[in-house]
Amino acid sequence: MVWQADGQIITNNHVVPRDGADIQIHFTDGRTLPARVLHRQPQFDLALLKVDSTEPLPTLPAGDSASLRVGEWVFAIGHPWGQRWTVTAGVVSTMSTRQVEPEVSIPYIKSDVRLAPGNSGGPLLNADGEVVGINAMIFGGDLSVSIPSNVVSAWLKDLPKSQAILGVGLQQIELPAAIKQQLSSGHGDNALLVVSLIERPTDQQSILLGDLLLELEGQPIAGVHTIRQHLASKAPGQSVTLTIARAGTIQTLTTILLPKPRQDLLDTYLIYPLD
């Protein structure tokens, strides 16, 4: 669905599994425009697309998903089983949460609105026609799961405004006990393991495969979101200080931030999400 009149479009991450795919957006006025993936959030099953339009696109007003109440009427619009522009109705069944990282959980909406393949990424509306969720999946065969509009808004607000990256693929693992004993209090039980690297100049080989990222600019790294939030104000070419664990010892190093490369290069070098 169109989220902003400038061409920003929200859908589910699973709807656009490959960035380089031929993605097209079909509008109700008959137009078809090519789209590209700007950002993804696989844990929330969200993707932000962008189309280039010569005129503002029509949008639906966003509602406050936090104000939803059990029993409230909600409506879904989509293409279930290929049936174009189908509306289904139901009520909010419950508001739940799901743990996606040790310190990160997200709320989601369960309703008895009938969904089917073809509804993914479409809007869940309240009785005022406001978007209160993005439809994502079916749970237990009879309950529909939607991502609250407030979660979408918060995610978009926190997206990096810069294209600066560390240039590493990361995997979250449990922090080894021997490393944890060397750290001060304030660190959690997890660390981020460097599992892939974008090729960089030989004089910038500061981060190595197998490094454990512990702190960024002196602040414990609680998860990938910590890195994204910190780099949002940075530009390529700037340097940041990292505390890492390498070969069982804790070290501090300085690394140069890289510009975000083309997606085909990311696919070549990375096997885990880039940060």
Side-chain angles (χ1 to χ4, degrees), residues 31-258:
R31 287 184 299 166
T32 297
L33 297 176
R36 61 189 185 277
V37 178
L38 291 185
H39 296 281
R40 295 179 178 274
Q41 175 44 283
Q43 293 173 320
F44 297 175
D45 197 14
L46 291 173
L48 175 63
L49 311 181
K50 183 69 167 64
V51 299
D52 296 321
S53 176
T54 56
E55 56 189 38
L57 298 175
T59 63
L60 290 171
D64 179 11
S65 56
S67 66
L68 281 175
R69 296 294 179 262
V70 172
E72 181 175 342
W73 278 102
V74 282
F75 307 84
I77 302 177
H79 313 308
W81 304 115
Q83 301 177 80
R84 307 287 288 176
W85 311 116
T86 298
V87 178
T88 51
V91 298
V92 175
S93 302
T94 184
M95 304 292 289
S96 303
T97 59
R98 181 170 71 92
Q99 199 81 16
V100 294
E101 286 187 15
E103 299 179 6
V104 179
S105 62
I106 62 168
Y108 58 90
I109 305 163
K110 284 184 182 177
S111 71
D112 65 355
V113 174
R114 292 181 63 85
L115 298 182
N119 278 114
S120 293
L124 185 73
L125 309 171
N126 62 16
D128 294 322
E130 298 171 331
V131 179
V132 291
I134 303 297
N135 299 318
M137 62 178 290
I138 302 168
F139 180 81
D142 54 358
L143 288 181
S144 302
V145 174
S146 305
I147 305 151
S149 57
N150 289 4
V151 171
V152 180
S153 298
W155 173 59
L156 294 176
K157 182 179 178 181
D158 289 340
L159 284 177
K161 303 302 186 294
S162 163
Q163 293 295 301
I165 58 172
L166 285 176
V168 297
L170 300 170
Q171 181 182 13
Q172 184 168 285
I173 66 169
E174 185 176 352
L175 185 63
I179 299 298
K180 190 172 183 178
Q181 292 175 357
Q182 302 178 53
L183 297 172
S184 59
S185 60
H187 286 268
D189 296 325
N190 297 284
L192 295 177
L193 174 67
V194 177
V195 293
S196 54
L197 289 167
I198 287 181
E199 188 174 2
R200 61 183 72 203
T202 55
D203 61 344
Q204 295 183 14
Q205 299 297 325
S206 52
I207 306 175
L208 302 179
L209 288 175
D211 286 346
L212 287 179
L213 304 189
L214 305 173
E215 295 180 357
L216 178 60
E217 300 290 318
Q219 298 298 315
I221 298 176
V224 169
H225 62 282
T226 303
I227 298 176
R228 289 176 178 153
Q229 290 172 355
H230 187 85
L231 298 188
S233 60
K234 300 290 186 179
Q238 290 185 297
S239 61
V240 293
T241 301
L242 287 169
T243 300
I244 67 167
R246 179 182 295 170
T249 61
I250 296 178
Q251 305 178 26
T252 299
L253 55 84
T254 299
T255 188
I256 303 297
L257 297 177
L258 303 176

